[in-house]
Amino acid sequence: MIYLVEDDDSIRELVIYTLQTTGLQASGFACAKDFWEALKKEQPQLVLLDIMLPDEDGLTILKKLRSSGPTSRLPVIMLTAKGTEYDKVIGLDSGADDYIPKPFGMMELVSRVKALLRRSEPEQKTETRQAGPIVVDLSKHTVNVNGNPVVLTYKEFELLCYLMENAGIVLTRDQLLSKIWGYDFDGETRTVDVHIRTLRQKLGDASKCIETIRGVGYKMEEIG
């Protein structure tokens, strides 16, 4: 199930119709109040969230989702008329997994939704990975630093795992965009930088394990 929070009736109806005709279950809500009520009954696989809403803005909703354990890694795509880099960075800094400015094409929206859903499916792995004081349990989707739990969003977790999987190898921003987001961002590598920054903040002193390769990308220090 996909939830869409959008106060524009025509956009909401069109998006819901498009998602349903492409085989995805979806429900739409005109305001935050209705969304929160629905969330009490069923947690969706993904949320499409407009920023400008009549009762509670989308960024506030996003921050509440990220601060709650059950929804802390719930995939969220921001839909908004605001298209400046500042607004995009604010959304990504707040924990959004993707950001689509209006107007957008329906097929592009569906493509991004399906790409994020694919990457949100839990992998059947029982192994753990470690880099310095960072320990990741892939089966439980948990991260510990020096024995202390660290809560990451889904994209931050996936980014950390990919860096650890390729420890010692320099990964370009384009490689990270393609692998983690599943499609081209048309050179919008700022997305990677924002997620690396928030990931480092959460890892604290252990963030030194992630090295910035100026003008290229990032590298996780070699394991072992």
Side-chain angles (χ1 to χ4, degrees), residues 71-138:
T71 60
S72 62
R73 287 206 294 268
L74 178 64
V76 175
I77 298 177
M78 304 300 291
L79 305 177
T80 176
K82 293 186 175 182
T84 67
E85 182 181 18
Y86 173 78
D87 291 314
K88 177 181 292 187
V89 169
I90 290 296
L92 294 173
D93 271 342
S94 299
D97 296 291
D98 200 352
Y99 187 109
I100 309 178
K102 300 175 184 176
F104 50 81
M106 288 298 108
M107 290 303 98
E108 178 191 6
L109 173 66
V110 171
S111 176
R112 294 197 184 194
V113 165
K114 289 185 174 181
L116 184 52
L117 285 174
R118 284 195 301 271
R119 282 155 183 79
S120 301
E121 293 176 356
E123 297 182 5
Q124 299 303 313
K125 296 182 179 180
T126 58
E127 62 185 298
T128 61
R129 294 196 180 113
Q130 183 169 359
I134 307 169
V135 178
V136 172
D137 187 318
L138 294 171

Side-chain angles (χ1 to χ4, degrees), residues 1 10-11 25 97 105 107 146 159 192 207 215:
M1 175 64 72
S10 59
I11 294 177
Q25 289 186 304
D97 296 291
M107 290 303 98
N146 292 316
L159 183 58
V192 173
S207 63

Side-chain angles (χ1 to χ4, degrees), residues 3-16 27-32 35 47-54 61 78-81 100 102 104:
Y3 282 175
L4 166 66
V5 190
E6 166 63 66
D7 63 326
D8 186 306
D9 294 343
S10 59
I11 294 177
R12 187 175 65 254
E13 292 170 5
L14 177 58
V15 170
I16 294 300
S27 293
F29 308 96
C31 63
F35 167 72
V47 174
L48 297 169
L49 187 58
D50 188 25
I51 285 185
M52 304 303 292
L53 294 168
I61 295 174
M78 304 300 291
L79 305 177
T80 176
I100 309 178
K102 300 175 184 176
F104 50 81

Side-chain angles (χ1 to χ4, degrees), residues 14-193:
L14 177 58
V15 170
I16 294 300
Y17 173 78
T18 301
L19 291 172
Q20 291 177 342
T21 56
T22 54
L24 298 168
Q25 289 186 304
S27 293
F29 308 96
C31 63
K33 179 177 179 295
D34 293 343
F35 167 72
W36 291 122
E37 286 298 317
L39 199 61
K40 293 177 183 177
K41 302 173 184 176
E42 178 184 12
Q43 180 166 314
Q45 296 170 282
L46 181 148
V47 174
L48 297 169
L49 187 58
D50 188 25
I51 285 185
M52 304 303 292
L53 294 168
D55 52 350
E56 186 176 26
D57 69 87
L59 290 176
T60 300
I61 295 174
L62 177 61
K63 289 175 182 177
K64 287 183 178 179
L65 290 173
R66 290 293 177 251
S67 65
S68 172
T71 60
S72 62
R73 287 206 294 268
L74 178 64
V76 175
I77 298 177
M78 304 300 291
L79 305 177
T80 176
K82 293 186 175 182
T84 67
E85 182 181 18
Y86 173 78
D87 291 314
K88 177 181 292 187
V89 169
I90 290 296
L92 294 173
D93 271 342
S94 299
D97 296 291
D98 200 352
Y99 187 109
I100 309 178
K102 300 175 184 176
F104 50 81
M106 288 298 108
M107 290 303 98
E108 178 191 6
L109 173 66
V110 171
S111 176
R112 294 197 184 194
V113 165
K114 289 185 174 181
L116 184 52
L117 285 174
R118 284 195 301 271
R119 282 155 183 79
S120 301
E121 293 176 356
E123 297 182 5
Q124 299 303 313
K125 296 182 179 180
T126 58
E127 62 185 298
T128 61
R129 294 196 180 113
Q130 183 169 359
I134 307 169
V135 178
V136 172
D137 187 318
L138 294 171
S139 61
K140 297 179 180 179
H141 266 240
T142 60
V143 178
N144 284 274
V145 175
N146 292 316
N148 298 312
V150 175
V151 178
L152 303 180
T153 66
Y154 177 77
K155 285 300 179 187
E156 290 164 353
F157 181 85
E158 195 174 41
L159 183 58
L160 176 61
C161 288
Y162 190 56
L163 286 167
M164 294 176 76
E165 189 179 306
N166 294 277
I169 300 173
V170 178
L171 299 172
T172 68
R173 290 174 173 83
D174 286 339
Q175 284 177 304
L176 293 169
L177 281 171
S178 177
K179 175 64 179 181
I180 306 303
W181 281 266
Y183 55 88
D184 293 331
F185 261 75
D186 297 324
E188 295 181 19
T189 54
R190 175 67 174 163
T191 301
V192 173
D193 296 333

Side-chain angles (χ1 to χ4, degrees), residues 200-217:
R200 280 173 164 163
Q201 290 171 347
K202 293 181 179 181
L203 294 176
D205 291 340
S207 63
K208 62 186 179 183
C209 293
I210 302 174
E211 181 182 354
T212 299
I213 309 302
R214 189 174 297 277
V216 181

